[in-house]
Amino acid sequence: TFSRHALLDHAASMFFSSVTNLIQHKSLRVANGCSELSPTTLIGNDVIRTLENAKYMQLYPNSLASLIGGICVLIYSVGYSGLVGLGASALILMLNAWIATLARDAEEKNLSAADVRLNIMKQIIESIKAIKLSAWEQRFGDLLSAARLKECGPLYRFRFFFANFSSVRSCITNH
């Protein structure tokens, strides 16, 4: 008899072998000049990522049954007032998801601004002799400072928001 994990591993290896075979057959039928389809990239990245994400699918039925059972036990033991606590928990979960979205957006903006700043640094390093000869240190220093300020802006805003939210939360829970 198979356990759930062994069955999932068996299904995953069957999936991997069949998809790998399909990709290899597809790559043999592609014209020689086409460089868009790389079987190594598909097998190395996409198929393995899909395979790893599919391993969590075994948890969905158990998670759903646990959620339904937990709500039933909560209603039975506490009564319908337990649903108020469950609603508050769901609200906090949605708030955390929203904050995580804000953090992700701030990080993406920070990374793009960091790329701009690093490109400026690369230009400065590559042409340091011309900058020194022409006495442009202050101009490039100001340009680099402005890029750094632009880089830190989204994170400063997010951290300011998060610090204020944390202090409001601690005031609410302490009183």
Side-chain angles (χ1 to χ4, degrees):
T1 64
F2 278 125
S3 69
R4 220 179 6 187
H5 298 289
L7 183 62
L8 181 69
D9 286 339
H10 180 68
S13 64
M14 287 176 41
F15 168 78
F16 184 72
S17 63
S18 62
V19 168
T20 304
N21 191 18
L22 288 173
I23 290 172
Q24 291 292 341
H25 283 288
K26 176 70 176 174
S27 67
L28 291 175
R29 286 186 269 136
V30 174
N32 282 339
C34 181
S35 62
E36 295 177 14
L37 181 67
S38 172
T40 306
T41 304
L42 284 174
I43 293 170
N45 294 335
D46 297 335
V47 174
I48 291 178
R49 186 178 301 136
T50 302
L51 186 67
E52 290 298 320
N53 289 338
K55 285 188 177 183
Y56 294 107
M57 300 248 330
Q58 69 174 350
L59 300 174
Y60 290 146
N62 190 19
S63 299
L64 184 63
S66 297
L67 179 67
I68 292 170
I71 291 172
C72 291
V73 167
L74 183 69
I75 291 172
Y76 178 74
S77 61
V78 179
Y80 287 105
S81 61
L83 292 179
V84 173
L86 194 61
S89 297
L91 184 65
I92 290 170
L93 181 67
M94 288 187 288
L95 184 64
N96 282 336
W98 178 66
I99 290 172
T101 303
L102 288 177
R104 185 195 66 218
D105 293 344
E107 190 63 33
E108 286 176 2
K109 288 177 185 175
N110 184 34
L111 287 176
S112 65
D115 286 341
V116 170
R117 183 183 57 83
L118 289 175
N119 284 334
I120 293 171
M121 281 295 297
K122 182 181 174 186
Q123 289 174 356
I124 290 172
I125 291 170
E126 288 175 352
S127 58
I128 192 70
K129 288 182 182 179
I131 292 172
K132 289 280 192 181
L133 183 63
S134 302
W136 290 338
E137 294 97 347
Q138 186 63 36
R139 185 181 305 169
F140 277 94
D142 293 342
L143 184 66
L144 192 60
S145 296
R148 178 68 179 156
L149 188 62
K150 191 173 183 180
E151 176 185 356
C152 294
L155 286 180
Y156 286 148
R157 284 191 292 277
F158 173 73
R159 288 183 182 150
F160 178 76
F161 171 74
F162 188 73
N164 286 331
F165 176 74
S166 298
S167 62
V168 167
R169 183 190 65 202
S170 65
C171 288
I172 290 172
T173 56
N174 289 338
H175 295 288

